[in-house]
Amino acid sequence: MTDYTICEVLPGVYRIPVPLEGSPLKELNSYVFKKTDEPGSRNMVVDTGYYQDSCMNALTEAFELLGVDLKETDFLLTHLHADHISCVPYLVQDGCKVYMGAGDIAKMYLDGSDIPHKGSYEYSFSRVNELGVPMDKQQEMREQMAADIFTFDKYYRDYIPVNEGDKLRAGSYTLKAIHTPGHTPGHMCYEIENTGAMLLGDTLLFDISPNIVAWIGVKDSLGDYLDSLDKLDSYDVSIPLPGHRHRGDFHTRIAELKLHHSKRIEECYKTIEELGDAYLYDIAGNVQWKIKSRNWDEFPPVQRWFALGECIAHLDYLACRGRIVQLTDQNGIKYYRIC
């Protein structure tokens, strides 16, 4: 059951549930750190949602209720995905700051266009194309995905880069940056010092698994992600603050996600072993996904896109460890074989 009630998660820190219309994610957790009376203190808003009426209305109503003046507000974006960044260009005021992980800023305008991360988007389609995904399925997914990704027509470029160990002031708190690549290359979590709380973005979600896909210039997104989970596991976190839905036990969830990916890795490997020379679309179609659909071809196009991307990340992981090899057939299509 989705709860759209604003709640105080720490003194002076509020969770705003932002509804994501048309998304299986259902909602985004935006967090607001209220400024204090101390000189120089400012509000900080963490993540914002798609540029949709539902998101903008939820945010503006919450800001009014909480007494947040946007002229005294900076923004912190855990990572570059559209459901976290798209409202920022419409909310940020002159003289206010927007922070994002340095690695994600580097991925924002890869093709020189004014569309954020279009280069990575096109790269993902080039991967599924070279791996032989049928063109009709590619077109179906492209038509559906465009509405999800490019949901805003106003762009922002003046991001302030955040790196591992950087500290930011948010209301009365100090946030320490933790680089957790995997979900995106520059994803950042933030330890809220001296509280036991941590802003997790999409690195750690509790009732859904973060989507891990291949990125331009990244050989092993899944390997990076699993390393990030190990890194987080070293922290003592009693108040986890995820980017979507509800929270749970921090260390238990890390163990669950590591086990989930371990099983998926072996499932992909065994599928290739059974198929022999195996193509991406057939491998993904033989993996057990938690999607209500009669068969693989009838998957909702957006969910099929996520599944293919997740499968590529697991295949890259296996290839990087020498367990499978990628070959090219006589038609120039790449396929996989166990070593």
Side-chain angles (χ1 to χ4, degrees):
M1 183 70 179
T2 302
D3 180 7
Y4 289 111
T5 304
I6 297 171
C7 63
E8 193 171 24
V9 296
L10 287 171
V13 182
Y14 299 85
R15 168 188 174 266
I16 303 173
V18 180
L20 301 175
E21 290 185 357
S23 170
L25 292 169
K26 299 182 181 178
E27 66 180 10
L28 168 86
N29 293 329
S30 179
Y31 297 96
V32 175
F33 291 73
K34 288 286 300 294
K35 68 185 290 292
T36 68
D37 294 331
E38 297 178 10
S41 179
R42 295 177 61 78
N43 304 306
M44 181 76 86
V45 174
V46 180
D47 293 337
T48 63
Y50 290 128
Y51 181 55
Q52 298 173 330
D53 287 344
S54 59
C55 296
M56 287 293 288
N57 291 340
L59 290 168
T60 54
E61 289 173 10
F63 296 157
E64 183 177 356
L65 179 66
L66 296 172
V68 171
D69 183 348
L70 288 178
K71 294 179 180 179
E72 300 176 324
T73 301
D74 298 322
F75 293 84
L76 176 60
L77 307 175
T78 57
H79 61 290
L80 61 70
H81 282 149
D83 56 319
H84 291 254
I85 72 171
S86 298
C87 290
V88 162
Y90 304 89
L91 295 171
V92 65
Q93 305 294 302
D94 289 343
C96 298
K97 298 176 180 178
V98 182
Y99 299 92
M100 186 191 290
D104 275 3
I105 294 174
K107 299 294 184 185
M108 288 291 283
Y109 298 98
L110 285 173
D111 61 351
S113 76
D114 283 332
I115 300 177
H117 59 94
K118 181 181 178 182
S120 289
Y121 177 70
E122 294 300 335
Y123 171 74
S124 298
F125 269 106
S126 72
R127 285 292 305 268
V128 300
N129 185 60
E130 72 179 13
L131 291 167
V133 173
M135 289 303 301
D136 61 329
K137 299 300 182 183
Q138 289 190 46
Q139 184 61 33
E140 188 180 40
M141 292 185 295
R142 184 180 287 272
E143 290 172 354
Q144 297 265 340
M145 286 299 298
D148 277 346
I149 293 177
F150 307 131
T151 54
F152 49 105
D153 55 12
K154 185 177 180 181
Y155 306 108
Y156 186 85
R157 287 182 176 270
D158 297 327
Y159 301 101
I160 298 173
V162 180
N163 292 287
E164 172 77 20
D166 286 353
K167 294 189 178 184
L168 304 175
R169 196 68 181 164
S172 63
Y173 298 90
T174 299
L175 310 181
K176 183 178 179 180
I178 307 165
H179 184 210
T180 54
H183 184 64
T184 64
H187 192 294
M188 289 285 179
C189 294
Y190 293 88
E191 180 185 19
I192 307 176
E193 292 191 333
N194 303 314
T195 66
M198 184 180 288
L199 295 163
L200 298 167
D202 285 5
T203 291
L204 194 64
L205 302 174
F206 290 87
D207 56 352
I208 51 178
S209 299
N211 186 234
I212 311 300
V213 300
W215 287 83
I216 297 176
V218 178
K219 290 184 177 180
D220 185 14
S221 291
L222 179 58
D224 289 347
Y225 178 68
L226 294 174
D227 287 344
S228 292
L229 291 181
D230 286 339
K231 186 177 187 178
L232 290 182
D233 209 14
S234 68
Y235 286 83
D236 184 13
V237 176
S238 56
I239 307 174
L241 301 174
H244 299 280
R245 306 194 194 179
H246 304 291
R247 67 194 197 206
D249 184 83
F250 182 76
H251 296 290
T252 298
R253 185 55 177 161
I254 289 174
E256 290 173 349
L257 286 170
K258 289 171 67 175
L259 179 60
H260 162 75
H261 285 291
S262 175
K263 290 180 177 179
R264 180 60 50 78
I265 289 164
E266 295 310 314
E267 187 177 16
C268 288
Y269 181 84
K270 289 178 181 177
T271 298
I272 298 170
E273 189 175 39
E274 291 171 0
L275 292 176
D277 291 345
Y279 292 81
L280 170 65
Y281 199 78
D282 296 326
I283 298 168
N286 281 277
V287 168
Q288 298 299 309
W289 307 100
K290 292 183 178 179
I291 300 293
K292 293 181 180 179
S293 180
R294 288 191 301 177
N295 56 56
W296 171 232
D297 283 336
E298 294 187 12
F299 259 44
V302 172
Q303 295 302 318
R304 192 188 310 119
W305 169 258
F306 289 141
L308 287 168
E310 187 102 1
C311 193
I312 291 173
H314 286 74
L315 297 173
D316 286 348
Y317 180 93
L318 286 165
C320 283
R321 284 150 187 81
R323 298 185 63 191
I324 63 173
V325 62
Q326 187 183 80
L327 303 168
T328 304
D329 69 14
Q330 60 185 4
N331 296 314
I333 302 300
K334 297 183 184 300
Y335 63 96
Y336 296 92
R337 180 185 295 168
I338 64 170
C339 294

